[in-house]
Amino acid sequence: MTKAQPLGAPVPDWTAPVWPARQTLDGRCAVLEPLSAERHAADLHLANSADASIWHYLPYGPFASLESFEDWMTGVTSHDDPVFFAVRDRQSGLCTGVLSYLRIQPQAGSIEIGHVNFSKALQRTPAATEAVTLLVGWAFEAGYRRVEWKCNTLNMASRRAAQRFGLSYEGIFRQHSVAKGRNRDTAWFAAIDAEWPALKAAYSRWLAPSNFDAAGRQIERLSDLTRPVLVAADPELS
């Protein structure tokens, strides 16, 4: 008798989630707005001009002029994938960063967060953290089974960010691509839908006003709150 081959666990009543709409996502500290060259290019170009190093690991940029930045923005927003958002900081009222959904695969229940480019003014703020959690949250609430994060293996800040948000380390794709004429090995991270309730609770607890003192300093670290969710930690961050 032929031995039965193992199969994956059944996924009963599976229905592919919807494609992410170009819609506004509201948070307490940040608002994500569908990226528009007309509405956002001037703010973002000014914010990004403070430090060109934010483009270091992206396959495009920096942009020397507002016009070239507008041209790039018009191009990337003309496609269905990626779906870009501008991050508006509620405190300043300015748009100071972008991020996107990409490699959107509703039939597989998989979606990636990437093209994250936060100006120095946005980095290390509650608005920056909330911007990412809004995308993670929308994806899982919409029915996606898997949210991915990929970055250049040399980009340790991005690797730390992925793990801070509770996305587990899944390995390295060697010679994954060529960016700006240089080899790129890519580190992979992901969270799955079964982990979402614990991640949601961790995000809410960190973002709560009670988690910040009178000077705006965090009391609990997000990485401490999400660590129990990790299936595997990045070995280069330990």
Side-chain angles (χ1 to χ4, degrees):
M1 181 181 295
T2 303
K3 186 177 180 179
Q5 298 286 338
L7 296 171
V11 185
D13 304 319
W14 163 246
T15 301
V18 299
W19 196 273
R22 298 185 186 277
Q23 61 184 327
T24 298
L25 300 177
D26 285 299
R28 185 178 64 84
C29 305
V31 179
L32 302 189
E33 301 174 358
L35 187 65
S36 160
E38 182 178 359
R39 293 185 61 200
H40 303 126
D43 268 6
L44 289 168
H45 189 258
L46 179 62
N48 293 342
S49 66
D51 187 349
S53 70
I54 63 173
W55 302 96
H56 191 67
Y57 291 111
L58 289 167
Y60 44 79
F63 298 93
S65 67
L66 175 58
E67 291 73 21
S68 61
F69 189 42
E70 288 174 330
D71 289 344
W72 170 82
M73 197 176 291
T74 299
V76 298
T77 56
S78 66
H79 305 291
D80 292 331
D81 186 349
V83 175
F84 272 88
F85 296 87
V87 183
R88 188 177 298 278
D89 186 332
R90 282 196 184 276
Q91 185 173 10
S92 69
L94 300 174
C95 286
T96 50
V98 301
L99 73 174
S100 80
Y101 288 125
L102 70 158
R103 297 186 178 88
I104 304 162
Q105 301 180 70
Q107 294 302 320
S110 176
I111 194 167
E112 182 179 342
I113 294 172
H115 295 286
V116 179
N117 192 17
F118 292 170
S119 70
K120 291 296 183 181
L122 182 60
Q123 291 174 22
R124 298 181 179 276
T125 66
T129 293
E130 188 174 47
V132 175
T133 67
L134 285 169
L135 286 196
V136 175
W138 182 90
F140 283 130
E141 297 292 341
Y144 284 85
R145 304 176 64 232
R146 173 180 170 86
V147 173
E148 299 179 336
W149 180 294
K150 305 185 185 81
C151 61
N152 191 312
T153 57
L154 300 175
N155 189 350
M156 300 308 294
S158 186
R159 291 171 70 168
R160 284 190 293 271
Q163 187 161 291
R164 176 175 177 262
F165 286 109
L167 279 68
S168 293
Y169 175 76
E170 295 190 336
I172 302 294
F173 274 34
R174 298 176 300 160
Q175 296 190 171
H176 184 224
S177 65
V178 176
K180 294 179 177 175
R182 295 182 179 273
N183 175 66
R184 169 174 154 156
D185 295 346
T186 297
W188 287 53
F189 300 81
I192 61 173
D193 54 357
E195 297 157 354
W196 171 232
L199 290 176
K200 183 178 182 180
Y203 297 165
S204 297
R205 184 168 172 175
W206 189 85
L207 286 164
S210 59
N211 189 45
F212 297 89
D213 65 18
R217 294 182 294 253
Q218 66 179 349
I219 297 169
E220 291 187 279
R221 298 189 306 172
L222 183 58
S223 57
D224 292 335
L225 297 173
T226 59
R227 187 175 296 113
V229 182
L230 296 177
V231 175
D234 188 331
E236 294 197 38
L237 301 181
S238 56

Coordinates of all heavy atoms in Angstrom, one line a residue, residues 166-211:
G166 N 7.2 43.0 15.3 CA 6.7 41.6 15.6 C 6.7 40.7 14.4 O 6.0 39.7 14.4
L167 N 7.4 41.1 13.3 CA 7.5 40.2 12.1 C 8.7 39.3 12.3 O 9.8 39.7 12.6 CB 7.6 41.1 10.9 CG 6.3 41.6 10.3 CD1 5.7 42.7 11.2 CD2 6.5 42.2 8.9
S168 N 8.5 38.0 12.1 CA 9.5 37.0 12.4 C 10.5 36.9 11.2 O 10.1 37.0 10.0 CB 8.8 35.6 12.6 OG 8.1 35.7 13.8
Y169 N 11.7 36.6 11.6 CA 12.8 36.5 10.6 C 12.6 35.1 9.8 O 12.3 34.1 10.5 CB 14.1 36.5 11.3 CG 15.3 36.2 10.5 CD1 15.8 37.2 9.6 CD2 16.0 34.9 10.5 CE1 17.0 36.9 8.9 CE2 17.1 34.7 9.8 CZ 17.6 35.7 9.0 OH 18.7 35.4 8.2
E170 N 12.7 35.2 8.5 CA 12.5 34.0 7.7 C 13.7 33.6 6.8 O 13.6 32.7 6.1 CB 11.2 34.1 6.8 CG 10.0 34.2 7.6 CD 8.7 34.1 6.8 OE1 8.7 34.5 5.6 OE2 7.7 33.8 7.4
G171 N 14.8 34.4 6.9 CA 16.0 34.0 6.2 C 16.4 35.1 5.2 O 15.9 36.2 5.1
I172 N 17.5 34.7 4.4 CA 18.1 35.6 3.4 C 18.0 35.0 2.0 O 18.3 33.8 1.8 CB 19.6 35.7 3.8 CG1 19.8 36.3 5.2 CG2 20.3 36.6 2.7 CD1 19.4 37.7 5.4
F173 N 17.6 35.8 1.1 CA 17.6 35.4 -0.3 C 18.9 36.0 -0.9 O 19.0 37.3 -1.0 CB 16.4 36.0 -1.1 CG 15.2 35.1 -1.0 CD1 14.9 34.4 0.1 CD2 14.3 35.0 -2.1 CE1 13.8 33.5 0.2 CE2 13.2 34.2 -2.0 CZ 13.0 33.5 -0.9
R174 N 19.9 35.2 -1.2 CA 21.2 35.6 -1.7 C 21.0 36.1 -3.1 O 20.3 35.5 -3.9 CB 22.2 34.5 -1.6 CG 22.4 34.1 -0.2 CD 23.4 32.9 -0.1 NE 22.9 31.8 -0.9 CZ 23.6 30.7 -1.3 NH1 24.9 30.8 -1.1 NH2 23.1 29.8 -2.0
Q175 N 21.8 37.2 -3.5 CA 21.8 37.8 -4.8 C 20.4 37.9 -5.4 O 20.0 37.5 -6.5 CB 22.7 36.9 -5.8 CG 24.1 37.0 -5.3 CD 25.1 36.4 -6.4 OE1 26.3 36.5 -6.2 NE2 24.6 35.8 -7.4
H176 N 19.5 38.5 -4.5 CA 18.1 38.6 -4.9 C 17.8 39.6 -6.0 O 16.9 39.4 -6.8 CB 17.3 39.0 -3.6 CG 15.9 39.0 -3.8 ND1 15.1 40.1 -3.3 CD2 15.0 38.2 -4.4 CE1 13.8 39.8 -3.5 NE2 13.7 38.7 -4.2
S177 N 18.7 40.7 -6.0 CA 18.5 41.7 -7.1 C 19.7 42.5 -7.2 O 20.7 42.4 -6.4 CB 17.2 42.6 -6.7 OG 17.5 43.3 -5.5
V178 N 19.7 43.4 -8.2 CA 20.7 44.4 -8.3 C 20.1 45.8 -8.2 O 19.1 46.1 -8.8 CB 21.4 44.3 -9.7 CG1 22.4 45.5 -9.9 CG2 22.0 43.0 -9.9
A179 N 20.6 46.6 -7.2 CA 20.0 48.0 -7.0 C 21.1 49.0 -7.1 O 22.1 48.9 -6.4 CB 19.4 48.0 -5.6
K180 N 20.9 50.0 -7.9 CA 21.9 51.1 -8.1 C 23.2 50.5 -8.5 O 24.3 51.0 -8.0 CB 21.9 52.0 -6.9 CG 20.7 52.8 -6.6 CD 20.7 53.6 -5.4 CE 19.5 54.5 -5.2 NZ 19.5 55.2 -4.0
G181 N 23.2 49.4 -9.3 CA 24.5 48.8 -9.7 C 25.2 48.0 -8.7 O 26.3 47.5 -9.0
R182 N 24.6 47.6 -7.6 CA 25.2 46.8 -6.6 C 24.3 45.6 -6.2 O 23.1 45.7 -6.3 CB 25.5 47.7 -5.3 CG 26.5 48.8 -5.6 CD 26.7 49.6 -4.3 NE 27.7 50.6 -4.5 CZ 29.0 50.4 -4.4 NH1 29.5 49.2 -4.1 NH2 29.9 51.4 -4.6
N183 N 25.0 44.6 -5.8 CA 24.3 43.4 -5.4 C 23.4 43.7 -4.2 O 23.8 44.4 -3.3 CB 25.3 42.2 -5.0 CG 24.5 41.0 -4.5 OD1 23.8 40.4 -5.2 ND2 24.8 40.7 -3.2
R184 N 22.3 43.0 -4.2 CA 21.4 43.1 -3.0 C 21.0 41.7 -2.5 O 20.4 41.0 -3.3 CB 20.1 43.9 -3.2 CG 19.1 43.8 -2.1 CD 17.9 44.7 -2.2 NE 16.8 44.1 -1.6 CZ 15.7 44.8 -1.1 NH1 15.7 46.1 -1.3 NH2 14.7 44.2 -0.6
D185 N 21.4 41.3 -1.3 CA 20.9 40.2 -0.7 C 19.7 40.7 0.2 O 19.8 41.8 0.7 CB 21.9 39.5 0.3 CG 23.1 38.9 -0.5 OD1 23.0 38.8 -1.7 OD2 24.1 38.6 0.2
T186 N 18.6 39.9 0.2 CA 17.4 40.4 0.9 C 17.0 39.6 2.1 O 17.0 38.4 2.0 CB 16.3 40.4 -0.1 OG1 16.6 41.3 -1.2 CG2 14.9 40.8 0.5
A187 N 16.8 40.3 3.2 CA 16.3 39.6 4.4 C 14.8 39.6 4.4 O 14.1 40.7 4.0 CB 16.8 40.4 5.7
W188 N 14.2 38.5 4.8 CA 12.7 38.3 4.8 C 12.2 38.3 6.2 O 12.7 37.5 7.0 CB 12.3 37.1 4.0 CG 12.5 37.1 2.5 CD1 13.6 37.5 1.8 CD2 11.5 36.8 1.6 NE1 13.4 37.4 0.5 CE2 12.1 37.0 0.3 CE3 10.2 36.4 1.6 CZ2 11.4 36.8 -0.9 CZ3 9.5 36.2 0.4 CH2 10.1 36.4 -0.8
F189 N 11.1 39.0 6.4 CA 10.3 38.9 7.7 C 8.8 38.8 7.3 O 8.4 39.2 6.3 CB 10.6 40.2 8.5 CG 12.0 40.4 8.9 CD1 12.9 41.0 8.0 CD2 12.5 40.1 10.1 CE1 14.2 41.2 8.3 CE2 13.8 40.3 10.5 CZ 14.7 40.9 9.6
A190 N 8.1 38.2 8.2 CA 6.6 38.1 8.0 C 5.9 37.9 9.3 O 6.5 37.3 10.3 CB 6.3 37.0 7.0
A191 N 4.6 38.3 9.3 CA 3.7 37.9 10.4 C 2.5 37.2 9.7 O 2.2 37.5 8.5 CB 3.2 39.1 11.2
I192 N 1.8 36.3 10.4 CA 0.7 35.7 9.9 C -0.6 36.0 10.7 O -0.5 36.5 11.8 CB 0.9 34.1 9.8 CG1 1.1 33.5 11.2 CG2 2.0 33.8 8.8 CD1 1.2 32.0 11.2
D193 N -1.7 35.7 10.1 CA -3.0 36.1 10.7 C -3.2 35.6 12.1 O -3.8 36.3 13.0 CB -4.2 35.8 9.8 CG -4.3 34.3 9.4 OD1 -3.4 33.5 9.8 OD2 -5.2 34.0 8.7
A194 N -2.7 34.4 12.4 CA -2.9 33.9 13.8 C -2.2 34.7 14.8 O -2.6 34.7 16.0 CB -2.4 32.4 13.8
E195 N -1.2 35.5 14.4 CA -0.4 36.3 15.3 C -1.0 37.7 15.5 O -0.6 38.5 16.3 CB 1.0 36.4 14.8 CG 1.7 35.1 14.8 CD 2.9 35.0 13.9 OE1 3.2 36.0 13.1 OE2 3.6 34.0 13.9
W196 N -2.0 38.1 14.6 CA -2.5 39.4 14.6 C -3.2 39.8 15.9 O -2.9 41.0 16.4 CB -3.5 39.6 13.5 CG -4.3 40.9 13.5 CD1 -5.6 41.1 13.4 CD2 -3.7 42.2 13.6 NE1 -6.0 42.4 13.5 CE2 -4.8 43.1 13.6 CE3 -2.4 42.7 13.7 CZ2 -4.7 44.5 13.7 CZ3 -2.3 44.1 13.9 CH2 -3.4 45.0 13.9
P197 N -4.0 39.0 16.6 CA -4.6 39.5 17.9 C -3.5 39.9 18.9 O -3.7 41.0 19.5 CB -5.4 38.3 18.4 CG -5.7 37.6 17.1 CD -4.5 37.7 16.2
A198 N -2.4 39.2 19.0 CA -1.4 39.6 19.9 C -0.6 40.8 19.5 O -0.3 41.7 20.3 CB -0.4 38.4 20.1
L199 N -0.4 40.9 18.2 CA 0.3 42.1 17.6 C -0.6 43.3 17.8 O -0.1 44.4 18.2 CB 0.6 41.9 16.2 CG 1.7 40.9 15.8 CD1 1.9 40.8 14.3 CD2 3.0 41.4 16.5
K200 N -1.9 43.2 17.6 CA -2.8 44.3 17.7 C -2.8 44.8 19.2 O -2.8 46.0 19.4 CB -4.2 43.9 17.3 CG -5.3 45.0 17.4 CD -6.6 44.5 16.9 CE -7.7 45.6 16.9 NZ -9.0 45.1 16.5
A201 N -2.8 43.9 20.1 CA -2.8 44.3 21.5 C -1.5 45.0 21.8 O -1.5 46.0 22.6 CB -3.0 43.1 22.4
A202 N -0.4 44.5 21.3 CA 0.9 45.1 21.6 C 1.0 46.5 21.0 O 1.5 47.5 21.6 CB 2.1 44.3 21.0
Y203 N 0.5 46.7 19.7 CA 0.5 48.0 19.1 C -0.3 49.0 19.9 O 0.1 50.1 20.1 CB 0.0 47.9 17.7 CG 0.7 47.1 16.7 CD1 0.2 46.7 15.5 CD2 2.1 46.7 17.0 CE1 0.9 45.9 14.6 CE2 2.8 45.9 16.0 CZ 2.2 45.5 14.9 OH 2.9 44.8 13.9
S204 N -1.5 48.6 20.3 CA -2.4 49.4 21.0 C -1.8 49.9 22.4 O -1.9 51.0 22.8 CB -3.8 48.7 21.3 OG -4.4 48.5 20.0
R205 N -1.2 48.9 23.0 CA -0.6 49.2 24.3 C 0.6 50.2 24.2 O 0.7 51.1 25.0 CB -0.1 47.9 25.0 CG 0.5 48.1 26.4 CD 0.6 46.7 27.0 NE 1.4 46.8 28.3 CZ 1.5 45.7 29.1 NH1 1.1 44.5 28.7 NH2 2.2 45.9 30.2
W206 N 1.4 50.0 23.1 CA 2.5 50.9 23.0 C 2.0 52.3 22.6 O 2.6 53.3 23.0 CB 3.5 50.4 21.9 CG 4.7 51.2 21.8 CD1 5.9 51.1 22.6 CD2 5.0 52.4 21.0 NE1 6.8 52.0 22.3 CE2 6.3 52.8 21.3 CE3 4.3 53.0 20.0 CZ2 6.9 53.9 20.7 CZ3 4.8 54.1 19.4 CH2 6.1 54.6 19.7
L207 N 1.0 52.4 21.7 CA 0.6 53.7 21.2 C -0.3 54.5 22.2 O -0.6 55.7 22.0 CB -0.2 53.5 19.9 CG 0.7 53.2 18.7 CD1 -0.2 52.6 17.5 CD2 1.4 54.4 18.2
A208 N -0.8 53.8 23.2 CA -1.6 54.5 24.2 C -0.9 55.7 24.8 O 0.3 55.6 25.1 CB -2.0 53.5 25.3
P209 N -1.6 56.8 25.0 CA -1.0 58.0 25.6 C -0.4 57.7 27.0 O 0.6 58.3 27.4 CB -2.2 58.9 25.8 CG -3.1 58.6 24.7 CD -3.0 57.1 24.6
S210 N -0.9 56.7 27.7 CA -0.4 56.3 29.0 C 1.0 55.7 28.9 O 1.7 55.5 30.0 CB -1.3 55.4 29.7 OG -1.5 54.2 29.0
N211 N 1.4 55.3 27.7 CA 2.8 54.7 27.6 C 3.9 55.7 27.4 O 5.0 55.4 27.2 CB 2.8 53.7 26.4 CG 4.1 52.9 26.3 OD1 4.5 52.4 27.3 ND2 4.6 52.8 25.1

